[in-house]
Amino acid sequence: MLIIDGKKITEGILSDLKKLPVPSGKLVVVLVGENPASRSFLRQKERVARDLGVSFELRSLPDSLSQEELERVVLLTSQDASVRGVIVQLPLPQKYNAREVIKHIDMQKDIDALREGNEGMLPPAVLSLAYILKEINFDLTHKQVVVVGHGFLIGQPIALWLKNKKCDVVVLDKDNFTPSVLKEADLIISGTGKVGLIRGEYLKEGVVVVDYGYGMQEGKVSGDVDIDSVQNTGGFATPTPGGTGPLVVVSLLVNFYGKQ
C-alpha cells in the first residue's frame, strides 16, 4: 500500500496560488458555539489564508442565537461588499437547520459550494478528491466505487459528483455498514468519523482508499481506515492526519481565488 501524501499535493497547489494576485475582499468564517474540533479546523483555514495573504476574519457567535437570528447574520455577512467568500463552520449545534442557514449565503460567495444549484464551484471535498485521483493517475471510467457515509460535507457531494462520471457508485451508511460490499471496490471514499471502520480484510488487492474521517483514538487523531491493517493490500491510501485534511482546506482557498 502506497501512502498518498496530501501535504505534498497541497504544497504544489499553494505554490500555484501564490503566483496569482491575491483577490481583494475578505474570507469570513461564521462559527457558532464552542466546538473544539471546529476550532482546530478553523486554525488550519486561517493559517493557509494568511500564508497566501488573504484577509481572514472569524465571526464567533453564541449558540443562544435563534435560527432566524443566525440566518440574518449570515445574510448580512454575505451582503457585505467587502466580503468575497463566506463559510459557515459545520457542524452547527443540533438546534439549527444547517441547510436553511447555508441558503442565506450569496451563490458567488459560497466557497464551500454547499448551496443547491451552485454549479460554479466544486465542494472542497470533491475538489480534493479530484486532486488525489489526478496525482495517482486514477481513471474512474468503468470502476466500482463505494462511498461510505452520506453526510452533508463529504459523502453527499462526492456521491453526486461521481454519479456524473462513468463509474458504478454504491453508497453505504455508517449505521448499515456492509463490509462485504467493499470487496469489489476499486475506489473507496469514507467520511463517517467512525475510527477504524474500514479494515484490510474487507478490501481487494490494489484498491484505492481515500479517508475523510476524523476522530480520536487513544488520544491520537485517527481516520475511518485502520491504516495498519491495509498495508498489505497494495494500491493507495490517504493517512489521517496528513491526507485529505490539508487538501480540503486548500480547496476552499482555490474556490476563494476562483481557480479550479
Side-chain angles (χ1 to χ4, degrees), residues 56-223:
F56 180 95
E57 181 180 321
L58 171 62
R59 296 186 181 175
S60 188
L61 305 171
D63 58 11
S64 58
L65 291 181
S66 67
Q67 175 81 22
E68 293 74 20
E69 288 171 329
L70 176 56
E71 289 174 1
R72 179 162 177 76
V73 170
V74 171
L75 177 63
L76 291 175
T77 300
S78 183
Q79 290 176 339
D80 185 339
S82 70
V83 174
R84 180 181 175 89
V86 179
I87 300 168
V88 174
Q89 184 65 39
L90 300 178
L92 288 171
Q94 287 189 346
K95 65 184 272 190
Y96 299 107
N97 183 325
R99 289 187 184 276
E100 290 301 317
V101 172
I102 297 297
K103 287 180 182 178
H104 291 77
I105 302 175
D106 181 281
M107 198 80 78
Q108 300 300 316
K109 299 182 181 184
D110 172 29
I111 61 172
D112 257 329
L114 293 176
R115 279 197 58 178
E116 289 186 23
N118 189 347
E119 298 178 356
M121 304 179 197
L122 289 176
V126 173
L127 186 53
S128 63
L129 177 61
Y131 283 130
I132 288 168
L133 298 182
K134 181 180 179 182
E135 177 73 12
I136 63 173
N137 296 312
F138 186 91
D139 184 359
L140 285 165
T141 306
H142 305 312
K143 295 297 194 301
Q144 298 291 324
V145 184
V146 176
V147 179
V148 185
H150 201 235
F152 189 34
L153 278 176
I154 305 296
Q156 289 181 31
I158 285 177
L160 183 63
W161 180 72
L162 287 169
K163 285 176 180 177
N164 292 319
K165 305 296 179 182
K166 295 178 180 179
C167 57
D168 295 319
V169 182
V170 175
V171 179
L172 299 179
D173 187 85
K174 67 177 179 179
D175 297 321
N176 297 299
F177 180 61
T178 311
S180 60
V181 175
L182 302 181
K183 205 69 176 179
E184 301 302 316
D186 302 298
L187 170 64
I188 298 168
I189 300 129
S190 189
T192 70
K194 199 167 183 177
V195 173
L197 178 67
I198 296 174
R199 297 185 52 79
E201 57 263 34
Y202 305 156
L203 312 180
K204 75 175 184 180
E205 186 76 17
V207 67
V208 175
V209 185
V210 181
D211 187 358
Y212 288 90
Y214 185 93
M216 300 297 293
Q217 187 174 58
E218 298 177 355
K220 296 181 180 179
V221 174
S222 302

